[in-house]
Amino acid sequence: MNYIKIFLRITMVAVCIVFSTKTFSQEFSEKQKAVIYNEAIKLLRNYEQFNNQIADNVVDIDQVNKTSQTLIDLFVSRKAIIYNDLDPAHKLSEAYELETYVSNMLLWYPDGMKFSIDFGNIKAGNIISHGNDIYTVDLLTSKHIDGNYLNQQKNTQTEELLYRIAFFQKNKNFESYKIAGVRSSKSKTLADDSKMLAEVKSVTFSEKDMQLIKDQTRALLNDYINFLNLLTDPKESSEDKSYYSISFLGLFKDSTLKVANDIEPDPQSRWIAVNEYEKSLVNSYPEGIRNLGINIDSAEFGKVIPEGNERYYINGYIDKFFSGKYQSKTVFRDNSKYDFKVSFERDENTFKNFKLCSIDKFGVNLYSPTAETATQELPTKPITSLKRNGLFLGFSLGSGIVQLNDPNLNSNSILKWDNKGKVLFNAEVNATWYFYNRIGITAGIGYSRYSANTSLNGSFRNTEYSTDTNGELYLKNVDSAMDSLLSFSYLSIPISITFHSNTDPEKWGFFLETGIVPSFNINSKYKTTGSFSTSGYYEQYPETMQILSSPELGFVSRTNINNIGKADVASFLLTFKACIGVTWPINYFTTVFFGPEFSYSLNNISSSSTYTDAFGNSSAAKKVGISKYGVKFGVSYKF
């Protein structure tokens, strides 16, 4: 029996460990981390940019207001807590809400305040899960201020600050990067931002829908305060108060929900259940509460947060005030801002079932002191913006027109060869190592297939005399209607250097690739079709006998030619290539590119040492080259 108990305990512990691991931790790949860090840095760059735009437009109030709103939109919430680096003497509050911080910045720095963030020395902490697919990462770096505080004191301080960046995961992607707060690395307090972080998953409704949501939320809060007044009114009968109590508890999602304990002057417990709150409020103020209300007209609302299955909630930040004689002994007054969380449902174009989920005193424990002996763990991992440096694997396809450059065909000016390039196809797999953000070395393996067509059509007479089998002089005539198609395939090992116009791989830009391509012939053939005949012009004979074509004299006549064979192509080909084009990033690690490409051979593609023209004249073969004019399309992926 003891063994069974021990086994069950071990099993329960193991289950708890597995559950906690899967619930509160997540392994991030290096690529995921790179994306998260890069998005966080981009967010800070926007923060720096918009702040400095405000300073550049201090005389344009409308522009300042627009930019201020854009700046605020970079944060999770308007209530985000920001370290007060505005006061150079550090005599004021350690931190402000975001809206207050921005207002003070505009008020205290009438000439504008600029700052610069040290992006070259940013360090990142661990990526932390907060549940509901919400995550944060802290970035540590220096911020240098340049401004004239109250036009009286120059503020050029440099502070080391921690920026908490929040985001959430949706369909395996990370979205909606926002700044959750800013604090000093030397601070002895930590921000309790668990509630506010939920706003990173906010959804956007139309202005009309938002007005409906806010109006019904205000109506719910009005009912809340009206029932509290009725419950605490000594003039109301016990029977009526029983009805009011039921109605009051019905305003809440659950009567056992905890709300802030604002009843006692020095509460021993910060939270109290709603049903206990209602009873305690009535019993603690038997003489009633003289002044109980909320400033509903000045209410501020947070963003709408989805809870799934068309359920949502919204936070209202409202001043609540009351005064009464606590336990008929001492007058207790309270005037504080409270956070009312209200849930509701969406049913097509209507919103219903508005209920109170929680009530908390706003600002409580937004900054909570840490243990005196403890120090907050600061980020230590150096990070930078995503760069091109590293290994890319790519695949490309190319096509174009081949130009056969054969000077042998022009060795006799009488013969008029027609040289037409055919379509080329090539495919390539390569690897590029970017040792610098804009420069990389590429090597790969590819396949290329070239083809070209040469034709000789017409009647031609040589100007040089030939001798027939009888020793007679004549001028050779050639009658040709012959086409020859050359095709050859190569296995290539391209080697090149790639230059990029931009340093940011997330933006489109131009690229230039240039290099050499050693290739090895794996197949080459020719196909000749048509007709070809020769005859002799004997000017020494009578006119009727001047043209002779007898085979006995060495003349030929071929019709319906259809010859196929192996072409005299060199086994090795070395070409120079160049490509200039455009790169376009699909995502962080995948880029497509497109552009015109040119190449030409550096060595002789022919293996023949002699060349014989159509008149039968032989000479040392000249170098035959090949070139390509085409386009290249491909994709590359960073590992």
Side-chain angles (χ1 to χ4, degrees), residues 529-590:
T529 59
S531 61
F532 180 82
S533 63
T534 60
S535 62
Y537 172 66
Y538 293 81
E539 58 186 358
Q540 66 270 32
Y541 292 167
E543 184 175 351
T544 56
M545 298 178 61
Q546 286 181 335
I547 303 297
L548 301 177
S549 59
S550 174
E552 289 80 5
L553 297 175
F555 301 111
V556 299
S557 177
R558 298 174 183 172
T559 60
N560 299 320
I561 298 173
N562 188 14
N563 295 335
I564 298 175
K566 184 176 181 180
D568 295 329
V569 174
S571 60
F572 177 75
L573 173 66
L574 183 64
T575 59
F576 168 82
K577 74 168 184 177
C579 178
I580 184 169
V582 176
T583 59
W584 190 274
I586 298 177
N587 54 42
Y588 275 106
F589 303 103
T590 307

Side-chain angles (χ1 to χ4, degrees), residues 18 35 88 128 221 237 244 266 290 335-336 344 362 368 380 403 413 519 527 543 587 598 601-602 616:
V18 171
V35 171
I128 301 172
L221 296 176
S237 65
Y244 301 145
D266 296 306
R290 301 175 184 175
N335 188 349
S336 304
F344 60 92
F362 186 79
S368 56
T380 58
Q403 181 66 47
S413 59
S519 301
K527 181 179 182 180
E543 184 175 351
N587 54 42
F598 163 75
S601 59
L602 299 175

Side-chain angles (χ1 to χ4, degrees), residues 180-193:
V182 184
R183 70 180 188 271
S184 171
S185 62
K186 301 176 182 178
S187 176
K188 298 298 182 182
T189 58
L190 295 176
D192 180 10
D193 47 19

Side-chain angles (χ1 to χ4, degrees), residues 329-366:
K329 295 179 181 179
T330 57
V331 175
F332 174 56
R333 296 182 177 88
D334 183 54
N335 188 349
S336 304
K337 180 173 288 189
Y338 284 79
D339 176 3
F340 293 83
K341 180 179 177 181
V342 177
S343 66
F344 60 92
E345 298 175 9
R346 183 177 188 175
D347 185 4
E348 294 183 353
N349 296 324
T350 61
F351 302 97
K352 62 182 183 180
N353 293 336
F354 282 74
K355 297 290 184 180
L356 283 163
C357 294
S358 69
I359 303 173
D360 191 15
K361 182 173 287 189
F362 186 79
V364 174
N365 284 349
L366 281 174

Side-chain angles (χ1 to χ4, degrees), residues 96-212:
Y96 294 117
E97 295 175 14
L98 173 61
E99 285 184 310
T100 304
Y101 179 91
V102 174
S103 298
N104 288 343
M105 181 179 69
L106 299 175
L107 180 64
W108 296 346
Y109 292 85
D111 293 332
M113 183 200 77
K114 289 195 172 187
F115 68 75
S116 58
I117 294 175
D118 184 4
F119 290 102
N121 294 287
I122 295 182
K123 295 179 181 178
N126 294 326
I127 300 172
I128 301 172
S129 171
H130 297 268
N132 296 319
D133 296 324
I134 298 175
Y135 300 88
T136 62
V137 61
D138 286 345
L139 302 187
L140 174 67
T141 189
S142 297
K143 171 185 173 184
H144 177 73
I145 294 176
D146 186 5
N148 193 0
Y149 178 62
L150 297 175
N151 282 339
Q152 296 177 357
Q153 182 180 356
K154 191 70 173 177
N155 186 355
T156 57
Q157 294 186 4
T158 299
E159 300 272 2
E160 190 178 52
L161 301 178
L162 278 162
Y163 297 87
R164 172 156 290 186
I165 309 300
F167 55 95
F168 72 91
Q169 187 176 23
K170 182 179 180 181
N171 298 327
K172 297 184 179 180
N173 294 319
F174 300 107
E175 302 179 359
S176 190
Y177 289 80
K178 300 286 185 179
I179 302 174
V182 184
R183 70 180 188 271
S184 171
S185 62
K186 301 176 182 178
S187 176
K188 298 298 182 182
T189 58
L190 295 176
D192 180 10
D193 47 19
S194 56
K195 286 187 177 181
M196 180 186 63
L197 286 176
E199 292 199 16
V200 77
K201 297 183 68 173
S202 63
V203 294
T204 302
F205 286 98
S206 66
E207 290 186 11
K208 180 181 179 181
D209 285 344
M210 283 303 299
Q211 190 61 47
L212 289 173

Side-chain angles (χ1 to χ4, degrees), residues 390-459:
L391 177 64
F392 282 75
L393 292 185
F395 174 76
S396 65
L397 296 173
S399 184
I401 301 298
V402 174
Q403 181 66 47
L404 184 66
N405 307 309
D406 190 351
N408 297 296
L409 300 178
N410 301 319
S411 60
N412 192 308
S413 59
I414 298 173
L415 300 170
K416 304 299 182 183
W417 287 89
D418 188 16
N419 188 356
K420 293 182 179 179
K422 292 291 186 179
V423 175
L424 164 139
F425 169 79
N426 68 284
E428 182 180 311
V429 176
N430 57 50
T432 303
W433 177 260
Y434 287 96
F435 57 90
Y436 182 65
N437 202 29
R438 294 171 58 184
I439 304 176
I441 297 178
T442 301
I445 185 169
Y447 168 82
S448 301
R449 186 177 187 277
Y450 298 85
S451 59
N453 182 268
T454 59
S455 59
L456 184 63
N457 294 288
S459 298

